[in-house]
Amino acid sequence: RPQPRPAGPQPRVPARRCVAARGDARARRRPCVAEAVPMGLVEGVLTGCCRCPTKEAVVSMPCGGDTGRGLFTGEDRSSSSASTDALTDYKFDPFRFDRPSLCALYGQMLQALGLQEHFAIPEATIAGFVGEASLTYRDVPYHSFAHAFSVTQFLFAFYSASEGVPGILSKDDLLGMFVASVVHDADHPGNNNAWEVATKSPLAIRYGDEAVLERHHAAVGMRIMSRDRHDVLATLGEEAQQQVRKTYAHAILMTDMAQHSQMVVDMTKRGAREGQAFDRELIEERRALVGVLLHSADISNPLIPEFALCRRWAEKIKSEFWGQYTRELEQGLPPTQMWASLGTPLGFYKSQVGFIDFVVSPLWSCVFSVFPAGAAKGCLRESLGRNRSTWEAQVKSAEAEASSAKAQSDPRRV
């Protein structure tokens, strides 16, 4: 029976805020998605995560009850929908879509992979998870939600084209990988681990100077999944959920560039093996493959078949690096010398050639060798070579212009 209301003024009970705004134009003040609440992560990721800035944002994602109908594949095929063929195109341009549309496209990928059906994940849960994840990304030049989506989509395209990867990874492995991919740079501040350590930031202190940002990204993602109607792993059994969480965290930790050299060495050895490079019967082997795939996708911009899109991403990372370099000088920190010339066209072009030669090619050559079918569709090897040639031509052009300008300014010139 209803209880009688006590006399006197009643405390105001705030309305429960939905994770996503209901599509109106008003930006809403939202609580931090990475509150410093202690929470256990998987091994290798320290407990808890630090506070991130309060954000103002609107995401017109569906929310509320588990109707699940039409969130990603409704009859109204608006700009938030794309065919599976479009999402498996290595030239897919995420800049053509707004944030809510990218969230919906992420849901379409999980459906196309069979993950939603296999694990019986409500569409509203996927929408809540990715919508909240999208809001953790800051307005930085490169490590934005568009980057996270681009990595996820490239990974989806490679997996779809590959003949070997689907025969190795289980559905549990796939779920861990694609949950990790969309949050692998969550709440990225627009600087690297070296900056965090040099400035003795709260994150560096929390994580003991080791894989600072990667651990933070993993923690932010886990915090999102701890919220009601956001846990995309909730339908798994306890043991399976623990293993998927380990795969998830491992994948994000492997995006740390400090792991790159050893990954190349390991992949070179695997490529030389007789038979399968990865043993599908061992979870540690499958987990290693997940880490390789996510890190490879994370540095895949030079493989994009459309050079204009490749260059757009390169401009964005240059802007982020140059911003950190100038702040290092301003604050009297040891400057990152390899970024010193990024402020000039010649330095920028040379940086892209170097990135391809010393970072991208060594790892992706191994991936091409182990999984040739994934590279064949879209001609990734050829695209990488073609993009490198374009950057090299721009280097030569810039050098010629610099040489001509120097000659013009020579006082000895008659």
Side-chain angles (χ1 to χ4, degrees):
R1 299 177 58 183
Q3 298 298 313
R5 291 171 61 90
Q10 300 301 307
R12 181 176 179 272
V13 179
R16 182 179 179 182
R17 275 184 285 190
C18 181
V19 172
R22 286 178 168 79
D24 59 17
R26 293 171 298 174
R28 305 189 180 190
R29 201 81 180 166
R30 306 175 67 259
C32 173
V33 296
E35 296 292 345
V37 178
M39 62 176 190
L41 288 179
V42 297
E43 57 192 13
V45 181
L46 299 185
T47 302
C49 61
C50 85
R51 294 179 182 271
C52 63
T54 302
K55 300 173 182 288
E56 291 185 356
V58 170
V59 173
S60 56
M61 293 294 293
C63 52
D66 177 24
T67 59
R69 185 180 300 276
L71 302 192
F72 306 127
T73 56
E75 293 181 2
D76 180 17
R77 306 293 291 181
S78 65
S79 61
S80 65
S81 298
S83 68
T84 301
D85 287 343
L87 289 169
T88 56
D89 188 345
Y90 291 121
K91 299 190 296 293
F92 186 92
D93 184 359
F95 298 112
R96 294 173 48 237
F97 299 85
D98 60 14
R99 185 187 298 256
S101 297
L102 294 179
C103 291
L105 293 173
Y106 174 77
Q108 286 184 225
M109 285 187 281
L110 293 196
Q111 288 180 336
L113 291 164
L115 297 178
Q116 183 200 345
E117 180 180 5
H118 182 82
F119 294 105
I121 309 172
E123 286 190 7
T125 298
I126 298 173
F129 166 73
V130 69
E132 188 76 4
S134 73
L135 292 178
T136 67
Y137 283 87
R138 306 190 195 186
D139 185 18
V140 294
Y142 182 80
H143 290 97
S144 61
F145 182 61
H147 163 70
F149 181 88
S150 179
V151 170
T152 302
Q153 183 271 326
F154 198 98
L155 191 60
F156 175 74
F158 187 84
Y159 175 84
S160 300
S162 174
E163 296 176 356
V165 177
I168 299 173
L169 298 182
S170 67
K171 290 291 188 183
D172 287 20
D173 302 326
L174 278 184
L175 183 61
M177 181 168 68
F178 279 94
V179 170
S181 65
V182 81
V183 296
H184 81 276
D185 276 326
D187 192 41
H188 199 291
N191 50 252
N192 62 13
N193 283 334
W195 171 272
E196 298 293 330
V197 173
T199 59
K200 299 180 175 61
S201 72
L203 281 180
I205 293 170
R206 178 178 294 274
Y207 295 117
D209 292 349
E210 294 292 329
V212 176
L213 292 177
E214 289 73 27
R215 291 183 178 195
H216 178 58
H217 305 323
V220 171
M222 293 299 291
R223 182 72 183 96
I224 293 171
M225 286 187 282
S226 72
R227 288 176 170 237
D228 185 33
R229 297 184 181 177
H230 290 62
D231 189 359
V232 288
L233 309 182
T235 60
L236 280 69
E238 183 175 349
E239 175 61 25
Q241 189 171 135
Q242 289 179 356
Q243 292 301 326
V244 171
R245 284 159 63 100
K246 288 183 180 180
T247 298
Y248 157 91
H250 174 80
I252 295 177
L253 292 177
M254 289 300 102
T255 63
D256 184 356
M257 285 303 300
Q259 304 294 329
H260 180 82
S261 296
Q262 185 56 48
M263 184 178 290
V264 172
V265 171
D266 182 58
M267 280 296 290
T268 302
K269 293 178 179 177
R270 290 179 182 277
R273 286 182 184 177
E274 293 185 5
Q276 286 281 351
F278 293 88
D279 187 346
R280 68 185 305 273
E281 301 301 325
L282 300 176
I283 191 169
E284 294 82 5
E285 290 276 289
R286 302 197 308 273
R287 193 167 285 151
L289 175 56
V290 166
V292 168
L293 292 175
L294 182 54
H295 177 55
S296 299
D298 198 22
I299 60 171
S300 65
N301 294 335
L303 284 77
I304 296 174
E306 183 64 51
F307 181 74
L309 183 57
C310 169
R311 173 162 184 149
R312 184 169 184 177
W313 282 117
E315 293 275 6
K316 287 181 174 294
I317 193 63
K318 178 201 74 171
S319 176
E320 204 166 282
F321 287 164
W322 184 248
Q324 178 175 327
Y325 179 76
T326 55
R327 292 194 302 274
E328 289 169 347
L329 295 177
E330 291 168 356
Q331 298 191 25
L333 298 172
T336 306
Q337 289 300 328
M338 66 179 177
W339 297 341
S341 62
L342 283 181
T344 67
L346 179 58
F348 170 50
Y349 302 149
K350 283 186 173 180
S351 73
Q352 292 306 301
V353 175
F355 179 55
I356 291 173
D357 288 348
F358 300 110
V359 178
V360 179
S361 286
L363 179 58
W364 270 98
S365 294
C366 297
V367 176
F368 293 154
S369 175
V370 175
F371 302 110
K377 181 180 179 181
C379 303
L380 292 184
R381 190 191 299 271
E382 293 78 7
S383 296
L384 180 61
R386 187 166 55 251
N387 288 338
R388 187 197 181 281
S389 296
T390 303
W391 288 118
E392 183 65 34
Q394 295 187 353
V395 167
K396 293 179 180 178
S397 177
E399 287 176 334
E401 290 180 10
S403 178
S404 176
K406 183 177 180 180
Q408 292 288 337
S409 63
D410 189 343
R412 296 170 297 179
R413 180 174 178 269
V414 178

